Amino acid sequence: FESRMLSKNNALDEKSQQELLVEKFEECLHYRSAMFCVDVDALIGVNQSTSVSSMGPSTSYSITKQGLWSTLIGYCKSSFASPVDAGKWLVLISSNNFITAQCKSALRWPKTEAELKKDDEKQEALKGRQCKNCGMGYTEADNKTGCCHYHRAFIFDSKAPPEDWA
C-alpha cells in the first residue's frame, strides 16, 4: 500500500484514501495467510516546523492525515492482534523517525536494548549529584561552564572514565 497504488485507484483525497485502505484491509482479512505492507510515509505524511526562541531552535512534528493515521493504527491493533491470525503479517515501512516513534508508541511496541540504554542515560542525567569540592548540588543536564562557584570548569564525576568528563 503506497503512493502508486493510491494514484492508480484515483484515491487523491484523504476520504478516498481512507476508503481504499479499509477496503484493502478487509480484503486481506478474508485470506488464510496474507501480508499487508504499508508505506506509512507516503500514506500519512508529516509536517515539520522549526522555530527559534530564546531557548534555542526547536523542531516540532505533526501527522498530516490524522484520519488515515487513526484508521491504520486501529486496524493494526485489532485485525492482526489475535493468535488465530498467525498466518497474517502487517508490515509498516517508514524512514521517518517521528512516524516510527509514533507507531511504536501507539502499538505499545517493546523497546530495543539501545532504546532502553538511552532512556537510562537520560534518567541518569536528571539525577541529582553533589560537587565534592563545594558541596553544591547539580544535575548532568544542567552542568555548564561556570555553574560551580568553587571552580570555573564543568562539574564532573571523578570516578567516571576521563573520556566521559567532557
Side-chain angles (χ1 to χ4, degrees):
F1 203 91
E2 40 86 40
S3 56
R4 284 181 288 181
M5 183 180 193
L6 295 173
S7 60
K8 194 178 194 182
N9 288 288
N10 291 327
L12 304 174
D13 64 327
E14 188 174 345
K15 183 173 175 34
S16 59
Q17 291 172 352
Q18 192 167 2
E19 289 170 0
L20 182 63
L21 178 67
V22 169
E23 176 188 327
K24 296 301 178 186
F25 261 127
E26 295 296 329
E27 180 183 335
C28 189
L29 293 174
H30 292 290
Y31 294 100
R32 211 173 35 157
S33 61
M35 180 184 287
F36 195 81
C37 299
V38 180
D39 180 358
V40 185
D41 293 341
L43 182 67
I44 304 298
V46 172
N47 283 332
Q48 176 181 346
S49 62
T50 305
S51 62
V52 179
S53 67
S54 61
M55 300 287 289
S58 67
T59 304
S60 63
Y61 301 92
S62 63
I63 293 172
T64 305
K65 299 175 182 174
Q66 198 65 42
L68 281 169
W69 170 254
S70 299
T71 303
L72 178 65
I73 294 300
Y75 270 97
C76 289
K77 286 181 177 178
S78 64
S79 302
F80 294 90
S82 70
V84 175
D85 297 329
K88 296 184 179 168
W89 289 77
L90 176 63
V91 180
L92 302 178
I93 302 168
S94 177
S95 61
N96 187 298
N97 290 336
F98 173 73
I99 290 180
T100 302
Q102 292 298 309
C103 285
K104 286 180 172 183
S105 174
L107 298 173
R108 293 184 178 96
W109 198 263
K111 292 186 177 187
T112 64
E113 289 293 324
E115 290 169 330
L116 291 171
K117 185 177 178 182
K118 194 175 193 180
D119 288 348
D120 289 344
E121 289 171 358
K122 283 181 184 178
Q123 290 288 43
E124 189 67 28
L126 297 173
K127 188 171 140 183
R129 298 177 184 198
Q130 189 172 11
C131 176
K132 302 234 187 239
N133 294 323
C134 67
M136 186 174 157
Y138 72 97
T139 64
E140 284 298 324
D142 296 331
N143 190 10
K144 295 179 178 50
T145 302
C147 64
C148 178
H149 62 78
Y150 186 78
H151 45 83
R152 294 186 159 185
F154 285 102
I155 301 172
F156 61 90
D157 185 2
S158 61
K159 293 178 184 173
E163 60 268 8
D164 291 344
W165 290 357

